[in-house]
Amino acid sequence: MKPDGNNIKIAVQKKGRLSEFSLEILKSSGVDFEIHQGRLFARCRKFPLDIIFLRDDDIPEYVQDGNSDLGIVGSNVVSETGARVVTLDALGFGRCELSIAVPGKSGLKKVEELEGKRIATSYPNILSGFLDEKGIRDVNIVEIHGSVEITPSMDVADAICDLVSTGSTMRLHELVPIETVLESEAILIANPDTLSEGWKLELVERLRFRIQSYLRARKTKYVMMNAPEESLEKIRQTLPGMKSPTVLPLAREGLIAIHTAVPEDQFWNVAEQLKEFGATDILVVPIEKLVL
Ligand code: ATP
Ligand code: MG
C-alpha cells in the first residue's frame, strides 16, 4: 500500500536537449503538472508522481542514492558516472554518439595514432576505459567541461572526444570523427531499491506501460485508403505486422475502405506498393496512444 502523501519521484533535465521531450513523455502519460520558472520540483495531479528538475550530470547519482526513484537521462551520462542504477527502457530520443575527432589538417586517421597525444573531453572515464581496451596507454586526457570542440585550435589538445548528433558542430570547427566510442540515447533509469518496494514498483510499472503506449504510438501511423475489392489480399500481404485490417464496404460497388496501423519508418515503401495495387485516397493520421 502506498503510504499517504508519498509519491514516486522522477528526475529530469531542468534545461537542455532532453528537457522538452522528457516532459512531453510524462504529459502524454496522463500525468498533469505545471512548471513554475525557477522551481526545482513539481507535484503531479492524476498520478502520484513528483518531478525533480536537475542538471543532467546529477541525475544518475541522484537516482543511485535514492533521492529520486526514477530518472530520464542520456546513457552517456550514466556510463560516465558509473552510477549503480537499473536501466528500464530506451526512450528513442536524444540519440548521439561519443566520438573521437581530430583536426582535418592533422592527417591523423586512426585512434592508435593518438598515442602520446592530448585528447580533450568531458567524458574522461568512458574515454580512458575505451583507450585501455584498445591498448592505447600513453594518452594525456584533458578534462574540460564545455566548448571541447575549440581546444585543438587553441592548442590545448590534439584531438577531442565529444558528443555528435548531426556532425555540424564538428564540421564547423574542421574536425573529422575517426572513431565512435559509444552510442547513446535517453533512457529511463531506476533506483534498485525502488524496484523491490511493492507500492513503488506498481507505480513504476503503471508509468512505464503508459510511456510505452505513447512511444509506440509515435512510431506508428494510422492509414486509411480506398481500394478495389479484388486487391484486398495483395494489400493485406503488403502491410507489415498487420494482424487484421478493418475493411469497410463503400457505396460504390467493388470498392472498399481499408484502415490499419503502419510503422512510420516503413510507410513510404508500403505506400508505393499500395498505389500499384490500385489504392487511392491514402490518408495518414498520427496516433496518440497505442495500448496493447
Ligand atoms: P546540463 O546543464 O543539464 O548539464 P548539458 O549542457 O550537460 O546540460 P545538453 O547539451 O543539454 O547537456 O545535452 C544533454 C544530453 O543530450 C547529452 O548528455 C546527450 O545524452 C544528449 N545529446 C543528444 N545529442 C547531443 C549533441 N549533439 N550534443 C550533446 N548532447 C547531445
Ligand atoms: Mg550536463
Side-chain angles (χ1 to χ4, degrees), residues 13 16-18 55-57 74 76-77 94-96 123 163 165:
Q13 190 187 23
R17 290 172 196 264
L18 304 182
R55 289 200 54 191
D56 69 342
D57 316 60
N76 53 316
V77 182
R95 287 212 172 93
C96 56
Y123 295 89
L163 296 175
S165 46

Side-chain angles (χ1 to χ4, degrees), residues 120-135:
T121 189
S122 314
Y123 295 89
N125 295 329
I126 298 177
L127 178 60
S128 67
F130 176 83
L131 293 172
D132 254 7
E133 238 173 57
K134 288 250 169 198

Side-chain angles (χ1 to χ4, degrees), residues 13-19 54-59 73-77 93-97 123 162-167 169 184-186:
Q13 190 187 23
K14 181 172 165 49
K15 192 162 174 283
R17 290 172 196 264
L18 304 182
S19 310
L54 297 175
R55 289 200 54 191
D56 69 342
D57 316 60
D58 297 332
I59 293 175
V73 67
S75 55
N76 53 316
V77 182
F93 74 101
R95 287 212 172 93
C96 56
E97 287 180 356
Y123 295 89
D162 203 7
L163 296 175
V164 200
S165 46
T166 60
T169 310
S184 175
E185 68 180 290

Side-chain angles (χ1 to χ4, degrees), residues 192-264:
D193 296 337
T194 290
L195 302 178
S196 53
E197 209 167 330
W199 69 271
K200 284 190 174 179
L201 179 62
E202 190 199 319
L203 289 174
V204 169
E205 289 307 329
R206 279 176 60 200
L207 190 64
R208 279 177 79 190
F209 179 76
R210 296 178 181 202
I211 290 175
Q212 291 308 325
S213 301
Y214 170 66
L215 294 177
R216 215 180 285 124
R218 270 174 50 90
K219 283 195 259 164
T220 313
K221 295 286 177 240
Y222 195 71
V223 178
M224 300 179 264
M225 75 203 84
N226 295 339
E229 204 167 1
E230 68 265 17
S231 304
L232 177 60
E233 217 26 66
K234 278 194 219 145
I235 289 178
R236 281 188 62 167
Q237 281 164 19
T238 306
L239 295 171
M242 185 192 54
K243 284 179 225 134
S244 181
T246 306
V247 179
L248 305 162
L250 289 178
R252 223 169 85 205
E253 190 92 9
L255 266 191
I256 50 171
I258 304 174
H259 294 190
T260 189
V262 175
E264 184 172 32

